[in-house]
Amino acid sequence: MRWALVKVCLAVTAMVVVAFAVPLALVVKETARDRAFAGAERQASAIGPALAITRDRRQLQRAVAITQAGAEGRVAVHVPAEAGKNAAKSGPVRVGHSRAPRARLAAARRLGRATTVEVDGGYTLLRPTAVTGGIAVVEVFVPDDEVTHGVAASWMVLAGVGLALIVGSVAVADRLGTRMVRPAERLAGAAHDLGEGQLDVRVPEEGPTELRSAATAFNAMADQVVQLLANERELAADLSHRLRTPLTVLRLNAASLGEGDTAEQTRAAVAQLEGEVDTIIATAREQKALAPHTASSATCDAAEVIRERMAFWSALAEDEGREARVAGVERPVRVPVARAELAAAVDALLGNVFRHTAEGTAFAVDLHSGGPASEAAIVLVSDAGCGITDPDAALRRGHGEGGPGSTGLGLDIVRRVAESTGGDVRLGRSVLGGTEVRVWLALRDGAATRGGPRQVSHRLRRRARRARLARRA
């Protein structure tokens, strides 16, 4: 905006300077020319009285010499021969050096008015004067330097004035642009800081009226965002706190189940649920706002997490007659995700399999990684169900199937975990015939450096399909 304003002022001022300076320069040039020829006219008029009283060469030479132009050798007098009985005694007289052609001298006598003739080195003024016996012509030479005397200096002054006007307008426009742009830059910087999570940023209400209004609106918006986030934290904390009572009941009931694998799994699930509720309350009460997409330094072993969660879900799979397979978890695979977050994502994927497929439907979980130097790790959850009719809608937050227990947030949790590493989530048709959910987790050391998520995941996905087909064979 600043430079645009400067350019506009520069263009307008330049056009104004050209519109006024060029005609004024031509007027100056014409004025200098008129001044030079007016001086020549005065020099020629000074010879007139002498021509009226005498035709003597010496007296005419004396009259020419006392003029300024005559002293410089720029005046010539052409007196015709006297007609009548004295013509033999009085021939034509010429005084001074003539530069005008004879034809132009004759034309000046015939026309009887002053004319200007262009000659080498300048101009000649021919002024006819009536004398006894005819018409005398006084010739005054005007050199070029006298015709253009003072023109160059005047043009330089005009150019300097025009340049000063342009520089002044640019300086004023720059100041005005700075006054307008600086509040806009502060507003843009504050918006960026607010987007990064600095909720205490505010903008000074300065500058033009429009920008002051924008700053006021921005500050009001920031206050509203802070209030909304505070309300959301309080609501999340309150809702989570309400879960403590039924959790206490579950914990007491689980304690009375006695011994056995089912009892231990139930008590572990209740303990995990209590831990998750405590985490939600602590996070909601946290006053420091975290910027979105903030990089986390937490890591975990994806293979260990998948083994643990598959052990938890295997009991339910056995009860429902589901065939469950897991592959690729024999060796550690470090991923840049917190253990609790990855476990929640795996639970969401497996919970969808149990919730949206019929009992007895087989499923498989595969973990693929190219080793320590790999660019990414891929978690594939496949089932032999009927598939998902609208994968795009399933990935949108809150777009569940609307059935009991379906909130539409499970795949959104998985998506956020994947995107926190720079990866993504894709839905497709699995080799088992149902749905395949592919979770691409970019590794910090080599995240998407060669071809991005699509090409890397495509290579790993082909490798995974070959391995599953080999196992089925």
Side-chain angles (χ1 to χ4, degrees):
M1 182 187 299
R2 175 184 175 186
W3 289 113
L5 183 60
V6 169
K7 291 177 182 179
V8 170
C9 289
L10 177 63
V12 172
T13 306
M15 288 189 293
V16 171
V17 168
V18 170
F20 282 93
V22 171
L24 189 57
L26 297 177
V27 169
V28 168
K29 181 179 179 181
E30 192 65 25
T31 301
R33 177 186 177 91
D34 293 342
R35 182 177 62 248
F37 284 109
E41 183 71 23
R42 288 194 300 271
Q43 299 292 325
S45 299
I47 308 299
L51 289 174
I53 61 177
T54 182
R55 298 169 61 91
D56 184 65
R57 181 184 297 274
R58 291 183 178 180
Q59 292 183 2
L60 291 177
Q61 288 176 346
R62 192 179 300 113
V64 169
I66 62 177
T67 63
Q68 180 182 356
E72 295 174 357
R74 295 189 289 110
V75 176
V77 179
H78 303 274
V79 181
E82 186 177 359
K85 58 182 179 179
N86 297 325
K89 298 180 179 179
S90 301
V93 179
R94 187 179 71 178
V95 177
H97 176 63
S98 176
R99 294 176 176 81
R102 291 183 179 181
R104 301 303 298 267
L105 290 170
R109 287 195 183 95
R110 185 174 63 255
L111 295 175
R113 64 173 183 270
T115 58
T116 302
V117 179
E118 186 175 1
V119 296
D120 294 338
Y123 300 87
T124 294
L125 174 67
L126 302 178
R127 186 178 187 279
T129 302
V131 298
T132 304
I135 301 295
V137 178
V138 179
E139 177 184 345
V140 181
F141 175 68
V142 183
D144 286 331
D145 56 354
E146 187 173 343
V147 173
T148 60
H149 178 68
V151 174
S154 299
W155 285 3
M156 291 295 293
V157 172
L158 288 175
V161 171
L163 183 60
L165 289 175
I166 292 176
V167 172
S169 67
V170 170
V172 172
D174 183 69
R175 295 298 301 172
L176 291 176
T178 301
R179 183 172 177 269
M180 295 177 61
V181 170
R182 190 168 296 164
E185 290 178 346
R186 285 198 297 263
L187 183 60
H192 181 269
D193 294 339
L194 183 65
E196 291 294 328
Q198 301 180 24
L199 301 181
D200 58 342
V201 64
R202 296 297 183 272
V203 181
E205 298 177 6
E206 301 173 352
T209 304
E210 294 79 4
L211 291 178
R212 288 201 303 270
S213 300
T216 303
F218 175 84
N219 292 336
M221 178 194 68
D223 294 337
Q224 185 69 14
V225 168
V226 172
Q227 185 62 38
L228 290 175
L229 290 177
N231 294 339
E232 182 180 358
R233 286 195 299 267
E234 294 299 328
L235 179 60
D238 293 343
L239 292 177
S240 301
H241 194 271
R242 293 179 185 178
L243 295 177
R244 285 188 176 276
T245 300
L247 282 176
T248 302
V249 175
L250 288 176
R251 182 165 52 82
L252 294 176
N253 292 337
S256 63
L257 292 177
E259 302 297 332
D261 294 339
T262 303
E264 291 298 329
Q265 290 178 358
T266 303
R267 283 191 285 268
V270 173
Q272 181 184 1
L273 186 57
E274 284 185 327
E276 294 292 341
V277 170
D278 292 338
T279 301
I280 293 175
I281 294 176
T283 303
R285 293 295 186 183
E286 181 66 35
Q287 295 299 319
K288 180 179 178 182
L290 296 178
H293 308 294
T294 301
S296 174
S297 58
T299 61
C300 69
D301 183 2
E304 182 182 354
V305 172
I306 293 176
R307 287 197 304 268
E308 177 185 328
R309 302 321 301 160
M310 283 295 293
F312 174 82
W313 288 96
S314 61
L316 181 58
E318 184 178 353
D319 291 341
E320 295 185 357
R322 298 176 182 268
E323 179 185 357
R325 294 196 303 269
V326 61
V329 296
E330 296 81 12
R331 53 186 178 83
V333 178
R334 303 298 300 183
V335 293
V337 180
R339 181 185 183 89
E341 294 182 2
L342 183 59
V346 174
D347 285 341
L349 293 174
L350 296 178
N352 283 340
V353 172
F354 282 87
R355 185 178 298 113
H356 300 294
T357 60
E359 293 187 6
T361 303
F363 68 95
V365 179
D366 298 274
L367 176 62
H368 301 278
S369 175
S374 176
E375 299 169 345
I378 292 182
V379 178
L380 294 176
V381 178
S382 309
D383 62 64
C386 58
I388 297 177
T389 57
D390 191 352
D392 294 334
L395 286 174
R396 289 199 296 269
R397 181 177 177 85
H399 282 254
E401 293 185 356
S406 177
T407 61
L409 300 182
L411 287 179
D412 185 70
I413 294 174
V414 179
R415 179 187 58 80
R416 286 189 286 111
V417 170
E419 290 181 351
S420 67
T421 69
D424 63 3
V425 176
R426 296 293 177 87
L427 300 181
R429 179 67 64 175
S430 71
V431 295
L432 299 178
T435 302
E436 178 185 81
V437 182
R438 184 213 63 186
V439 184
W440 189 88
L441 301 174
L443 303 183
R444 296 296 182 193
D445 295 335
T449 55
R450 296 199 300 263
R454 293 186 177 181
Q455 293 187 13
V456 175
S457 62
H458 183 64
R459 294 196 298 268
L460 292 177
R461 191 173 183 177
R462 285 188 301 176
R463 188 183 309 166
R465 286 183 174 176
R466 288 198 299 267
R468 287 200 302 269
L469 291 175
R471 289 197 304 269
R472 288 170 62 90

